[in-house]
Amino acid sequence: MSIDFKKFSGTGMTSDSSREKLILILKGEGIKNSKVLRSMQLIPRHIFVDEAISSKAYDNTALPIGKSQTISHPMIVAKMTEIIMAYEPRRVLEIGTGSGYQASILSLLVDKVYTIERIEYLHNKSKKIFQKIGIKNIYSKYADGNTGWPQKAPFDAIIITAGATHIPDVLLDQLSSNNGILVSPIESNGKQYLKSIVKSQDKYNEKIHGKVNFVPLLGGVS
Ligand code: SAM
């Protein structure tokens, strides 16, 4: 994919040097995958948020994107991406497009990204940003992600970017049986943890990767 990223070099707090500082923070917090770090350096996070808060885009923090939703904390985006990239996925499904930032990071790393958003306003807005950047391997859908995208299954990886109380079986069914990986925040006793599940034939291998704090995975569309 040839994208002219220089077009998106910002100034001041959104400049390339602010982005480089963020990459150093991510490295300091333990992100090691150089391809993930490169993708986070290239994708201009400031264009996924309103201009009024774009000076905060390279802070290591979640930010509002409207409709009571957030663009995730860069460290969490990096961590979830690094977890799935260890399995070298080529086709990834994301539940919770939000701003489109996580999908854009993935688009530089895998062949195809399928992403589902339940809020029409965010679905439309993120689609425009994908076009603006010139990303052509993201396929997005306005729907309730709890049912996945059966027509495009199986997926090598599934990322859920909203806090679920449980992983819907239908999503596990859409995961490749050949080391397909799903990563999601999971709520338990009022706390949220990042969980990964690797599917190998009919066996599931689960792992917890620490505490997180995501907006909830809801049902239906809005
Ligand atoms: N990945 C996003 C990004 O890069 O900006 C951040 C996602 S935000 C933390 C969570 C998103 O999940 C919100 O946009 C929310 O509307 C969406 N969401 C929640 N439940 C959903 C569902 N059942 N299906 C699809 N999207 C859902």
Side-chain angles (χ1 to χ4, degrees):
M1 198 185 323
S2 76
I3 297 172
D4 180 10
F5 286 105
K6 286 202 188 77
K7 276 197 309 199
F8 306 106
S9 290
T11 53
M13 298 296 278
T14 64
S15 67
D16 292 351
S17 69
S18 302
R19 221 177 297 172
E20 274 156 28
K21 279 185 205 148
L22 174 62
I23 299 305
L24 287 178
I25 292 173
L26 298 179
K27 280 185 185 169
E29 290 198 20
I31 301 299
K32 292 192 177 66
N33 184 316
S34 58
K35 290 184 183 165
V36 173
L37 290 164
R38 178 83 184 132
S39 183
M40 300 219 31
Q41 181 146 17
L42 286 173
I43 294 293
R45 192 171 185 250
H46 63 274
I47 71 169
F48 293 85
V49 295
D50 283 351
E51 215 170 322
I53 55 166
S54 65
S55 63
K56 295 193 168 79
Y58 299 105
D59 292 354
N60 192 14
T61 181
L63 292 170
I65 53 171
K67 307 286 174 194
S68 306
Q69 303 303 320
T70 53
I71 179 172
S72 307
H73 202 286
M75 179 58 196
I76 293 297
V77 173
K79 190 167 176 177
M80 290 175 91
T81 309
E82 188 168 66
I83 290 169
I84 67 160
M85 287 313 295
Y87 293 82
E88 301 183 355
R90 296 178 65 183
R91 293 161 44 80
V92 179
L93 173 68
E94 178 194 31
I95 312 295
T97 316
S99 68
Y101 179 66
Q102 170 77 76
S104 301
I105 296 291
L106 286 166
S107 75
L108 302 188
L109 298 167
V110 306
D111 292 350
K112 288 184 178 175
V113 182
Y114 298 89
T115 182
I116 307 176
E117 173 55 55
R118 66 176 290 279
I119 299 178
E120 192 170 22
Y121 164 82
L122 294 174
H123 164 74
N124 291 335
K125 200 169 171 194
S126 58
K127 246 180 132 167
K128 285 191 190 130
I129 298 182
F130 302 146
Q131 278 160 10
K132 182 174 170 182
I133 303 178
I135 296 175
K136 296 198 167 61
N137 60 341
I138 297 180
Y139 305 88
S140 58
K141 181 160 99 157
Y142 165 53
D144 177 358
N146 281 297
T147 52
W149 200 328
Q151 300 83 353
K152 303 293 179 188
F155 301 100
D156 303 317
I158 299 178
I159 278 196
I160 304 177
T161 64
T165 47
H166 69 285
I167 306 295
D169 284 348
V170 71
L171 293 182
L172 292 172
D173 290 346
Q174 290 175 30
L175 196 56
S176 160
S177 314
N178 185 16
N179 281 328
I181 175 152
L182 182 148
V183 61
S184 175
I186 288 285
E187 293 197 23
S188 172
N189 298 326
K191 293 188 181 126
Q192 268 186 17
Y193 301 89
L194 192 61
K195 185 176 194 176
S196 65
I197 304 177
V198 176
K199 180 176 170 184
S200 182
Q201 303 312 323
D202 283 338
K203 294 207 177 96
Y204 294 95
N205 191 1
E206 300 187 357
K207 197 168 164 187
I208 296 292
H209 302 264
K211 279 191 192 159
V212 286
N213 185 18
F214 277 80
V215 292
L217 183 75
L218 300 174
V221 291
S222 148

